[in-house]
Structures are given as structure tokens and as C-alpha cells.
Amino acid sequence: KTLTMTAVGAGYDLSPTTYSPDGRVFQIEYAQKAVESSGTSIGIRCIDGVVVGSEKAMPTKLMLQSTNRRIWIVDMHTGMATSGLTADARRIADEARYESENYRDFYGHQVPGRILGDRLARFVHSYTLVGWLRPFGAATLLASYDDTNGPELHSIQVDGTLLRYFATAVGKNRQAAQTDLEQIDFKTITCREAVNKVAEIIYKHHDDIKDKNFVLELGWACDESGRKFQQVPADIAN
Amino acid sequence: AGSSENGKQHTLDPIVTGASVLGVKYTGGVMLMADTLGSYGSLARFCDVERIRQVNDTTIVACSGEYSDLQYIDDLLHTLVVEDYAEDDGASLNPEEIFHYLSRVMYNRRSKVNPLWNQAIVAGFADGKPFLGYTDLYGSTFEDNLLATGFGQYLAMPLMRKAVEENEGKMSADEAKALLEESMRVLFYRDGRTINKFQTAN
């Protein structure tokens, strides 16, 4: 289902190595569409950790609720939530795991979130530079909690941009979610509160009529958990 | 070490070494004990060395022999554990699997004539069953109710066997601890590369 308001690529959209006359790379924009038509993912950095949540569409009741994961554990202290093509996201998660392991083997210390984010961003970006590869159709919210920098939330976009956030969202209801996230007082919010907030925002903007049924996936790395792990079901308020 | 005219050489002499490790199964678990000395030849150089390492929730590993190889083994097993953790499927490696993996690594290294100069004990408790296994720089493997490495094999095993025999393998944790402590005492008296400070894990 294509968006009707898109400018027509008209021959400049066949490869990421081609600019359009107005300076756009259409392949990257198309990849962004893949993310935007996928369920929302939200991340919030709290005073005691990071929380991420993802709206995982369940197209059929035949599917197990736990499958088609959108939240990936990368290392003991790091994880990521993704929106977009799940298979592409899996590749990014694997790369994150590899880089994390590699950093530890080399430096003997867990990889700081910003360094892992940097490596992932470079990795994703490299797929926008060559004609025989397509950009990843998945955006990543990298949640980390390490000794050096504390809790951090990074977002890696489809074009390879790396940004560090207090809170952000990617996917379908990104803008509405970000408006809600602006209301948060980041100096005081705790992970427990953020869990409720993430769930609240996702449920609020999910259109029960237009959108499919969904499962809310949550993950956090906080003082309470000491690392990245899947949310305990009892904690989910909604 | 070795002259460069012979091409690549591998180190075949351990430098910083650990002494014996003792392990025993008891009712409801398994216990390991090792002293905390890192010897530098005959010098008792590093007196606070942890030779028993936790791998994951169900398994611990302890080594005699080259300490740097123990550190390497610890890192290697940690990588396995992180992979398990990231998979997040409710399954994790049990002691037997970790033991098997380690023994394969040891055997492969010996086959390249570049061994990890250790005698290792892998111990754990999973699915209600205690596990105790031994592997070494040759890649040999043994599993038993009581095991020891180094001098412990000669000095402590007879003591341990006698105690277990009398108890018919139904020792309690306290009895296991007392037995291991007594064995460590004997080792301290007679093994010249030990100190009277040790680490216990179960």
C-alpha cells in the first residue's frame, strides 16, 4: 500500500547510490516508509535505567504470542527494540551482539551504549553506500545500562543516523507518541513509571479498528534488573 | 618460547600456577574447594587468587595449572553464557553441556600442540541432579562423585574416598565441607605449593 503523497522517484529511486536532482536518496526514503508502516516502538531513559516497548502486530491468532520478537537482547547490559522489517532487524541485532562480544574480547569491559550505537550506525549506514545492497528497513532503539555512562537510549535510523535521547519513538505513531513523551519529567521518572507510560502511549495510539491485534513487548535494563531482560508479566499495568 | 629459526613455537611451560582443586557431590548439590594461591614457580606470589569461577546459574568451573589459561577459559565460557542470555528462550546450558564444550576445547588445543595448561573441574546442579566432571590439558574426561586435580589426586582422593564410602554417598553439605576442609589441611601440610587460604563454592 503506497502513500499517495509521495513524490514519484522517476528513475532516481532504483539504487541508494543515486541522488535525485533535489538531493534525495529515494531508496533510503522507501526504507523509512517500511519503518513507518510498522508498529510503534518507544524508548524512555529513566533515572534508574532504560525502558523500551514495542507494538508487535499479531496478524493471526494462530501465531504464538512470544514469536516474531521485536525486542532483542544484545548483551547482559544491552538490548534493543525495533520497528520495521523483522528480518532486517534480526540482522542488526546479530551485528550488535557480535560487536558487543568483540568489544569485550578486546577491551575486557562491557561496551558502552554510545560505542555500540556508533558501530551499529556505521554498519547500517554502509548499506546505503553501495548499489548491490538495499538499506535496512528497520529502525533501532538501543537501550543500554553500563558502568561508564549509566542508562542510555540511542536511536539508529535507516540512513545510519545515531542520536541519543531521553525518550523517542519510531514506527507508525511516532509523532503522536513523541508529543506524549515530551510531557515526561526526565529528571524524576523511574523505570517502573516508564513501563506504565510506554504501555499507556502504545495502547492510546493503537487504532483498534484500522490496526491489527497486537502484543506489547517490553524490555528494560534498570537497577532492579541489573541487566537487560524481558518484562515480568505481573509488572504490566494495562 | 623457542628459537625463531624453528618457526612458530608454543609455550609449553606454565608460569603462574594454581594448586589442587577438590570436588565432591553431596545430597542436593556439589561442592568445590581450592586454595587462593597463584605460585610463580616456587614463589608464593599471588595470595588472593580466585580459582573457582561461576559460569552461569547452574555451573561453576575451577582450574589447577596455568592461571592465565583459567582466565581465558572463564572469558570463553562467558561468551557462551551471553549467547544463551541473548537468545532469551528460557533455555540455558547445563553443567554437562559446559563440561563437554570445555573438554572439546581442551582436546582441540592439545591436538594443535598448544594446550591450555590446566586440570579443570566443572561442577553444577541442574534438574535436581548434581554434576561433577574433570578435564585436563590432554582433553581427558572423567565424571565421578568425587574428583581432584593436581596433588589432590594423590593426597586427598584416598581420604575423600574413605569418607564417602562410609557415608554411602549420602553426605550432607556440612559433612562435605568438613571433608574438603580436612583434605585441604592435609594438602597444606604436604603440598609445597599451597597456602592456608581457600575458596569454597557449591
Side-chain angles (χ1 to χ4, degrees):
Chain A
K1 195 173 154 181
T2 50
L3 292 172
T4 52
M5 300 258 301
T6 324
V8 175
Y12 301 110
D13 62 347
L14 297 176
S15 163
T17 56
T18 309
Y19 279 103
S20 74
D22 48 348
R24 296 155 74 176
V25 181
F26 281 105
Q27 276 297 307
I28 294 179
E29 294 191 18
Y30 294 164
Q32 278 159 347
K33 297 282 181 332
V35 174
E36 275 159 33
S37 55
S38 166
T40 319
S41 292
I42 299 178
I44 301 180
R45 192 194 95 174
C46 316
I47 55 175
D48 61 339
V50 193
V51 176
V52 289
S54 195
E55 177 191 3
K56 178 172 76 178
M58 295 305 289
T60 156
K61 284 214 169 67
L62 295 173
M63 214 185 267
L64 240 60
Q65 294 222 326
S66 57
T67 193
N68 200 28
R69 292 277 290 266
R70 300 180 108 217
I71 293 195
W72 314 83
I73 297 183
V74 169
D75 203 332
M76 300 294 237
H77 66 300
T78 320
M80 48 189 252
T82 54
S83 284
L85 305 175
T86 312
D88 285 12
R90 185 193 288 120
R91 182 67 186 87
I92 298 175
D94 277 350
E95 193 66 23
R97 287 166 182 164
Y98 168 74
E99 289 288 357
S100 193
E101 183 184 318
N102 179 259
Y103 187 94
R104 190 179 183 279
D105 278 347
F106 202 84
Y107 297 105
H109 192 263
Q110 29 172 240
V111 61
R114 59 189 65 187
I115 293 188
L116 182 57
D118 181 71
R119 298 220 181 156
L120 279 184
R122 286 171 196 275
F123 172 69
V124 167
H125 177 240
S126 66
Y127 281 67
T128 69
L129 296 173
V130 291
W132 61 85
L133 295 170
R134 63 166 175 81
F136 284 96
T140 305
L141 296 178
L142 184 70
S144 60
Y145 194 176
D146 65 73
D147 314 324
T148 326
N149 303 115
E152 284 188 329
L153 175 68
H154 289 84
S155 112
I156 295 118
Q157 297 300 329
V158 149
D159 60 351
T161 315
L162 172 73
L163 294 163
R164 190 156 57 243
Y165 283 101
F166 284 109
T168 188
V170 288
K172 204 175 283 179
N173 299 309
R174 175 173 52 95
Q175 265 145 344
Q178 276 172 344
T179 314
D180 285 338
L181 289 171
E182 279 171 17
Q183 312 306 319
I184 297 175
D185 180 5
F186 296 106
K187 287 201 217 59
T188 58
I189 189 164
T190 65
C191 278
R192 287 228 163 206
E193 290 164 1
V195 163
N196 285 336
K197 199 83 193 133
V198 166
E200 184 192 304
I201 295 175
I202 287 187
Y203 271 90
K204 179 171 160 193
H205 296 296
H206 177 85
D207 189 328
D208 287 323
I209 305 161
K210 272 204 316 198
D211 300 332
K212 301 186 185 113
N213 288 332
F214 77 102
V215 165
L216 173 63
E217 273 194 8
L218 286 165
W220 66 0
C222 62
D223 290 336
E224 219 178 293
S225 78
R227 62 212 153 168
K228 182 75 176 175
F229 82 134
Q230 282 305 88
Q231 191 79 66
V232 174
D235 265 335
I236 298 174
N238 299 44
Chain B
S3 62
S4 53
E5 64 195 29
N6 287 334
K8 193 162 119 180
Q9 298 273 310
H10 295 134
T11 309
L12 295 173
D13 278 322
I15 307 294
V16 177
T17 55
S20 321
V21 177
L22 308 178
V24 68
K25 281 189 197 171
Y26 59 89
T27 320
V30 66
M31 189 178 291
L32 295 187
M33 217 178 264
D35 73 7
T36 62
L37 176 66
S39 304
Y40 190 69
S42 63
L43 171 65
R45 188 161 179 189
F46 306 105
C47 300
D48 203 8
V49 153
E50 281 195 358
R51 295 194 292 117
I52 305 180
R53 300 289 174 98
Q54 181 168 12
V55 179
N56 62 13
D57 290 338
T58 58
T59 315
I60 50 180
V61 71
C63 292
S64 306
E66 177 58 53
Y67 185 61
S68 63
D69 286 344
L70 163 60
Q71 289 174 318
Y72 173 76
I73 287 169
D74 194 26
D75 281 349
L76 201 64
L77 296 179
H78 180 76
T79 303
L80 276 188
V81 168
V82 171
E83 277 172 16
D84 247 355
Y85 185 75
E87 203 61 45
D88 197 25
D89 57 358
S92 61
L93 291 170
N94 66 33
E96 202 156 336
E97 288 167 328
I98 290 170
F99 172 67
H100 195 256
Y101 176 80
L102 179 59
S103 66
R104 290 296 84 208
V105 168
M106 304 294 269
Y107 181 75
N108 268 272
R109 290 289 297 255
R110 92 106 212 220
S111 301
K112 293 194 279 196
V113 196
N114 185 13
L116 292 167
W117 203 281
N118 297 108
Q119 291 174 315
I121 291 191
V122 178
F125 191 77
D127 296 324
K129 284 194 310 224
F131 176 85
L132 190 59
Y134 164 100
T135 182
D136 63 14
L137 68 164
Y138 305 110
S140 319
T141 55
F142 305 109
E143 283 173 56
D144 205 344
N145 296 325
L146 27 120
L147 289 170
T149 65
F151 264 104
Q153 289 176 311
Y154 310 113
L155 296 175
M157 282 297 269
L159 272 174
M160 288 159 69
R161 282 199 186 107
K162 186 134 206 301
V164 167
E165 210 177 70
E166 282 164 8
N167 261 325
E168 284 188 11
K170 287 202 198 82
M171 262 194 298
S172 72
D174 287 333
E175 286 169 332
K177 188 154 185 224
L179 172 62
L180 290 181
E181 274 179 17
E182 186 57 31
S183 305
M184 295 299 292
R185 179 172 298 122
V186 170
L187 285 170
F188 175 64
Y189 288 158
R190 287 300 179 177
D191 181 355
R193 301 280 182 268
T194 54
I195 54 169
N196 57 348
K197 183 162 176 260
F198 49 89
Q199 188 191 5
T200 313
N202 64 330

